[in-house]
Amino acid sequence: DGGITQSPKYLFRKEGQNVTLSCEQNLNHDAMYWYRQDPGQGLRLIYYSQIVNDFQKGDIAEGYSVSREKKESFPLTVTSAQKNPTAFYLCASSIQSGVAGDYEQYFGPGTRLTVT
Amino acid sequence: SQQGEEDPQALSIQEGENATMNCSYKTSINNLQWYRQNSGRGLVHLILIRSNEREKHSGRLRVTLDTSKKSSSLLITASRAADTASYFCATDARNQFYFGTGTSLTVIP
């Protein structure tokens, strides 16, 4: 079964603790992404990676860190420096589709993080 | 910053009616994509339209793109209760995606 898995589905942490969200894909996609979604809002890009051992900051990277040591894995760490970490986090991957330059994204089911 | 803005924010229709939602964006794009999100789930890709295309169909979906106005519309024909979801446009500029704020569609059986 091909796809993207994120674990856990729900995560609870105390303020001041770092927490790592898992994202794994077996689609053999090169590019992977992390988004944050707040209630009633769209997705905001945190980090993305187009190849192994390389990643780029998105619009809201402050307080987050990532690694891309393997093609299939792109974990996201929410650090204590992130002021409002409670949110729904979505991981995605993409592969070129159709004509050169067209990419569609495949999303995982998301992790809902609550920090109190 | 988010590229796309959807309009309306929320839409409620009767089953069998058509649903139209619009998306505006800010800069030049390679393509524009529409995604669907059921409550509390990940997004699912619906359709992609390239910057040199004006209209595209897929099943009950019809997408238009007007690059001069930097806008797109998604039409869902003969809506079903199962179409109830949030719909997002996403613009693709060199493999960076920017999502709009979404339209929440409710289809009443």
Side-chain angles (χ1 to χ4, degrees), chain B residues 1 15 39 63 106:
Chain B
S1 60
E15 199 165 31
S39 181
V63 171
T106 302

Side-chain angles (χ1 to χ4, degrees), chain B residues 55-84:
Chain B
E55 187 170 314
K56 201 162 183 180
H57 296 254
S58 177
R60 293 185 296 114
L61 305 180
R62 172 178 168 255
V63 171
T64 62
L65 179 65
D66 186 336
T67 52
S68 66
K69 294 181 180 178
K70 292 186 169 56
S71 67
S72 173
S73 68
L74 171 68
L75 169 66
I76 304 173
T77 61
S79 63
R80 306 166 182 167
D83 293 330
T84 295

Side-chain angles (χ1 to χ4, degrees), chain A residues 35-72:
Chain A
Y35 294 93
R36 170 186 172 132
Q37 187 177 31
D38 293 284
Q41 297 192 32
L43 280 65
R44 290 185 290 168
L45 182 65
I46 304 172
Y47 269 98
Y48 68 101
S49 167
Q50 297 200 28
I51 55 171
V52 174
N53 292 323
D54 184 59
F55 47 83
Q56 308 294 328
K57 290 182 180 180
D59 295 327
I60 56 165
E62 186 175 347
Y64 300 97
S65 65
V66 293
S67 62
R68 187 85 187 277
E69 297 175 1
K70 299 186 295 183
K71 187 175 186 178
E72 56 271 22

Side-chain angles (χ1 to χ4, degrees), chain A residues 46-111:
Chain A
I46 304 172
Y47 269 98
Y48 68 101
S49 167
Q50 297 200 28
I51 55 171
V52 174
N53 292 323
D54 184 59
F55 47 83
Q56 308 294 328
K57 290 182 180 180
D59 295 327
I60 56 165
E62 186 175 347
Y64 300 97
S65 65
V66 293
S67 62
R68 187 85 187 277
E69 297 175 1
K70 299 186 295 183
K71 187 175 186 178
E72 56 271 22
S73 179
F74 191 40
L76 173 75
T77 297
V78 184
T79 75
S80 56
Q82 168 50 232
K83 291 183 173 35
N84 293 299
T86 294
F88 188 49
Y89 290 88
L90 286 159
C91 177
S93 68
S94 73
I95 191 172
Q96 184 173 321
S97 66
V99 178
D102 290 342
Y103 299 86
E104 64 179 83
Q105 294 198 316
Y106 294 77
F107 282 82
T111 291

